[in-house]
Amino acid sequence: MVVSCLRIIKFAWQDFYRNFWLSVVVIIVLILALSSVNALVGLNVLNGEMLKILQNKISVNVFLSEKISAAQLANFQNYLHGIKEIDKVVYVSPEQGLSQFKAKHKNDQAMIDALSELDKNPLLPTLVLFANDTKAFGNILAQIDSSDYAALVTDKNFDDHEDAINKINSFSEKARVVGLVLAAFFALVSILLIFNAIRIIIYTHREEIGIMRLVGATNSFIRLPFIVESIFYGLFAVALTTILCYGVCWLALPYVNAFFGSSIDLFAYLNTHLWKMLGVEVAGVILLNVVSSGLAVARYLKV
Amino acid sequence: MIRFRNVTKHYEPNVYALRDFSLHIKPQDFVSIVGKSGAGKTTLIKLLTAEERPTKGRIIVGGWDITNIHLREIPFLRRQIGVIFQNFMLLPNRTAFENIAFALQVCGAAPHKVAKIVPQILKIVGLGHKQDFYPHQLSGGEQQRVGIARALIHRPKILLADEPTGNLDAINEQEIINLLKKINELGTTVILVTHNKGIVNSLHKRVITLDAGELVNDQHHGKYII
Ligand SMILES: Nc1ncnc2c1ncn2[C@@H]1O[C@H](COP(=O)(O)OP(=O)(O)O)[C@@H](O)[C@H]1O
Ligand SMILES: [Mg+2]
């Protein structure tokens, strides 16, 4: 039994390298199929990161009256903390606001000059509110308006990223459709290719197959090498795709970080998901290959 | 050992390769089967190895009714029946040793068993010194010896020879027939399909004559009559 299993694997391996270029073509198409799936997953991850960053940036500025006292400010902040939709409240004093403003416009000489013309800080003390859900802002602002603190508020403004979020969502939706279509297309091509590759290999072995039957080899012994060979295709394709995936991430990392303005650890993500990714890919590819080669064997290797 | 009971083999559209054919062959017999081309001789061989199924009738081999043999059981039938052919059916890219070993390997024999049995069987057919020759380096007679060695590798009770000397000259032919006689004397039932009158007459064994799928003559110390 063990001897037969080893021989089946050996026969499969011999066919694999004797038909080297055929194997290469099959593996390349499998890599394309797997990479489309990987790109799809990668896109989802980046999309999620992007939304997280934007969500964090969505905030409301509440501009307070110049004459607000420290006690009033503390009370107001306490009140705001009590509103459950509010995630975080940050106080920005006029001085902090001014230095932030200067930092932001440090390359804009006209703006700096205009600021130095002024003899006093034009900015108001400000509370920046962050919510756990962007949709809650309307409600929060209404609550502030109807509270005792409404008189302390001179103005409110929305720092609106809603538009950006919608754009990202619709882009990634389109990208997902393209990715799915590509993955399905390459999977279909893989099925056809494997089916035909196995058919050709069966044809080149018709003499041996005839003799195996003649001398009493079992059907499974005759058929299994072709199935095992298709599994070899899958394993090679997954291994190479994984290497490719790491390579692409390594190349793309500087650009991704530049884009987000922060460093995202793509490799940490890859490493933590590696086994799950490999498991799913190996299972999927083996299923696909076994079905395609099984169809070819059933069709062209009659017993 | 072998029994055909009213066997008919019909090929579409309307060829009767065998028609109501009955035959009983005893263990350790040596039976020659003669007949014109198309008489149904090869069909008879194919029915015994379950390559074809009878349209009607029953076929029993060593007490085993193989008329409706299950696909899964066919390999085990074939390990009990050796077959040789006119065109030898050797793999051209394997040596004599490898051709014979192949038959053991694909049936799950362990390497040490292969290493032990193959040289023994090569010696029996007189090819011990040419085990590493490829088929194209061997004479027709030697190639057929490799074929016989392969057919005997599972120690079958029955050896079927379908015109085994059709491609050989007279000297090689006689050597192959002598080898078949020796194998028969060692206890294997041999069925020899042949065209050669001289061979049949010199054997003094049972001769069965087929014509158009029917048994027309069965002589126990027979002569070739057609
Ligand atoms: N697979 C087949 N399909 C149709 N007819 C066949 C097939 N095999 C053999 N026959 C026919 O059956 C008859 C007997 O053939 P065969 O047993 O090969 O004869 P032979 O005695 O020459 O070996 C012939 O007429 C042949 O044409
Ligand atoms: Mg014939």
Side-chain angles (χ1 to χ4, degrees), chain A residues 61-208:
Chain A
N61 293 329
V62 176
F63 301 106
L64 305 171
S65 140
E66 277 173 285
K67 298 178 289 272
I68 191 165
S69 70
Q72 281 173 317
L73 180 63
N75 284 341
F76 191 20
Q77 272 179 298
N78 273 338
Y79 166 76
L80 290 173
H81 280 300
I83 300 176
K84 66 174 184 304
E85 287 98 333
I86 292 181
D87 212 22
K88 205 166 71 173
V89 178
V90 175
Y91 174 69
V92 183
S93 68
E95 295 73 36
Q96 287 169 330
L98 188 64
S99 57
Q100 280 174 15
F101 187 86
K102 279 181 178 163
K104 202 169 164 187
H105 294 95
K106 64 175 184 285
N107 295 327
D108 187 346
Q109 197 53 47
M111 189 67 87
I112 303 285
D113 292 346
L115 272 179
S116 55
E117 294 292 301
L118 299 171
D119 52 354
K120 105 185 211 304
N121 186 347
L123 297 180
L124 295 169
T126 308
L127 284 170
V128 186
L129 310 185
F130 295 89
N132 22 30
D133 182 2
T134 49
K135 293 185 195 71
F137 280 120
N139 196 9
I140 292 169
L141 294 179
Q143 282 190 55
I144 294 173
D145 280 340
S146 61
S147 74
D148 302 339
Y149 302 97
L152 298 172
V153 175
T154 55
D155 201 2
K156 307 180 281 266
N157 99 12
F158 237 124
D159 206 0
D160 202 348
H161 291 271
E162 200 71 31
D163 223 31
I165 290 178
N166 285 339
K167 267 188 200 141
I168 290 169
N169 275 337
S170 88
F171 169 77
S172 70
E173 195 54 46
K174 277 180 205 135
R176 196 170 307 164
V177 170
V178 172
L180 275 178
V181 168
L182 272 184
F185 172 75
F186 287 128
L188 193 72
V189 174
S190 314
I191 290 173
L192 290 175
L193 207 58
I194 290 168
F195 180 87
N196 281 296
I198 297 298
R199 185 179 70 139
I200 290 167
I201 295 168
I202 288 173
Y203 183 77
T204 60
H205 283 293
R206 60 200 183 286
E207 246 185 333
E208 261 136 319

Side-chain angles (χ1 to χ4, degrees), chain B residues 5 12 22 42 75 80-81 87 106 117 128 136 144 168 181:
Chain B
R5 273 209 193 122
E12 295 301 335
S22 294
T42 298
Q80 294 173 39
I81 302 180
N87 59 1
V106 299
I117 296 179
H136 71 268
Q144 191 59 288
L168 304 180
K181 278 204 309 214

Side-chain angles (χ1 to χ4, degrees), chain A residues 33-46 175 179 182 245 281:
Chain A
L34 285 169
S35 296
S36 321
V37 174
N38 276 352
L40 210 64
V41 173
L43 212 73
N44 264 342
V45 172
L46 286 184
L182 272 184
C245 179
E281 287 186 352

Side-chain angles (χ1 to χ4, degrees), chain B residues 37-38 40-43 86 162-163 193 195:
Chain B
S37 184
K41 306 180 296 295
T42 298
T43 301
Q86 181 170 356
D162 193 353
E163 306 196 32
V193 172
H195 274 311

Side-chain angles (χ1 to χ4, degrees), chain B residues 17-18 33-46 162-163 193-195 210:
Chain B
L18 284 181
I33 297 183
V34 300
K36 286 184 290 215
S37 184
K41 306 180 296 295
T42 298
T43 301
L44 196 148
I45 302 283
K46 285 182 174 169
D162 193 353
E163 306 196 32
V193 172
T194 183
H195 274 311
L210 278 178

